[in-house]
Amino acid sequence: MSKLKVTDVRSIEKLNYLKAYEISYKTKSGKDAKWELVSRAGLDRLQSEIFQKSRFSDGVMVFAVDETHTKVAMIKEFRVSAGGYVYMFPAGLINQGEELAATAKREFFEETGLSLELVHLSPARYVSVGIVNECVNVAFGYYSGIPSKQHQEDKEEAEIVFIDKAMAQKILAEEDVTIRSAQLLEQFFDLNPFMAKVKQP
């Protein structure tokens, strides 16, 4: 049972942590149209992304496995926006002036108590391009140490779990899981039946 609890849901016009933007554009037939989105960043960044094709990173998600490549470290976290627990890979935002590798190791430790041996960082990619311009990198590597929740913030409630193939199948079939995490689980454990069929000679 979660100690965190959603107490109310209401509509607001002004956001405290996100900024709302309206983008004007032309349709294929030349009609004027509008697109709405939210962002953690200011107008300068959004304009740079759209008009100069600049790319930024907001944070890092960590995909860490054991040395035998049979288990992956995940968290089962209470997410306010879902009103319940969701399986996902540890992730967090970059602090100002922080290197991506440092963010990955710091966030992984804060959420799991584990150390990360970083092997590879993916390019920054969009999270949900329909409503937000947030981009994250995926950090791949190996975990070690003893799991601990003592470094989680007061507003965080996450169970540290080590997932093998059988558990991954169960989670994907029965639990709430973010789509990025689901796809990585499917890929790592070869659990997508369509993809497996396509790969056959």
Side-chain angles (χ1 to χ4, degrees):
M1 186 69 177
S2 174
K3 292 181 180 178
L4 292 176
K5 182 181 179 182
V6 176
T7 58
D8 185 34
V9 179
R10 62 191 177 92
S11 176
I12 60 173
E13 293 185 7
K14 187 178 184 303
L15 299 171
N16 292 316
Y17 304 104
L18 298 173
K19 299 172 179 64
Y21 297 102
E22 181 181 81
I23 301 172
S24 300
Y25 69 102
K26 295 283 189 182
T27 68
K28 290 187 292 184
S29 62
K31 295 179 181 177
D32 291 324
K34 306 287 185 183
W35 192 277
E36 297 176 344
L37 76 137
V38 293
S39 176
R40 288 190 177 92
L43 181 61
D44 289 347
R45 166 173 158 174
L46 183 58
Q47 290 175 329
S48 179
E49 287 177 324
I50 291 174
F51 297 115
Q52 279 79 52
K53 304 304 178 188
S54 302
R55 290 296 173 259
F56 302 87
S57 179
D58 296 281
V60 179
M61 182 176 78
V62 180
F63 184 91
V65 305
D66 67 348
E67 291 183 351
T68 66
H69 289 208
T70 58
K71 291 185 179 180
V72 296
M74 297 188 77
I75 55 175
K76 181 182 179 182
E77 184 173 9
F78 185 90
R79 301 298 297 190
V80 172
S81 55
Y85 287 94
V86 180
Y87 282 87
M88 63 189 66
F89 290 104
L93 298 174
I94 299 172
N95 290 334
Q96 187 172 3
E98 190 175 40
E99 295 290 332
L100 285 169
T103 301
K105 293 177 181 180
R106 174 182 57 78
E107 284 290 346
F108 190 65
F109 177 75
E110 288 175 0
E111 294 194 352
T112 68
L114 300 168
S115 297
L116 172 68
E117 179 190 341
L118 181 62
V119 175
H120 174 69
L121 266 172
S122 76
R125 295 191 170 102
Y126 286 107
V127 174
S128 181
V129 73
I131 59 171
V132 65
N133 67 333
E134 183 180 42
C135 289
V136 302
N137 301 75
V138 180
F140 296 90
Y142 297 93
Y143 67 80
S144 62
I146 300 172
S148 172
K149 298 169 66 172
Q150 71 179 59
H151 303 287
Q152 295 176 8
E153 297 179 11
D154 181 54
K155 59 185 177 181
E156 292 178 320
E157 185 170 299
E159 177 186 350
I160 301 115
V161 288
F162 300 99
I163 308 299
D164 60 16
K165 186 170 184 176
M167 292 174 67
Q169 287 177 308
K170 183 176 176 60
I171 288 169
L172 292 170
E174 302 175 6
E175 303 287 348
D176 286 326
V177 55
T178 64
I179 190 165
R180 290 176 298 164
S181 297
Q183 289 177 329
L184 282 169
L185 281 178
E186 287 181 342
Q187 181 182 7
F188 184 73
F189 289 115
D190 200 19
L191 292 174
N192 186 305
F194 178 78
M195 293 298 184
K197 190 173 183 178
V198 168
K199 289 192 293 185
Q200 291 177 357

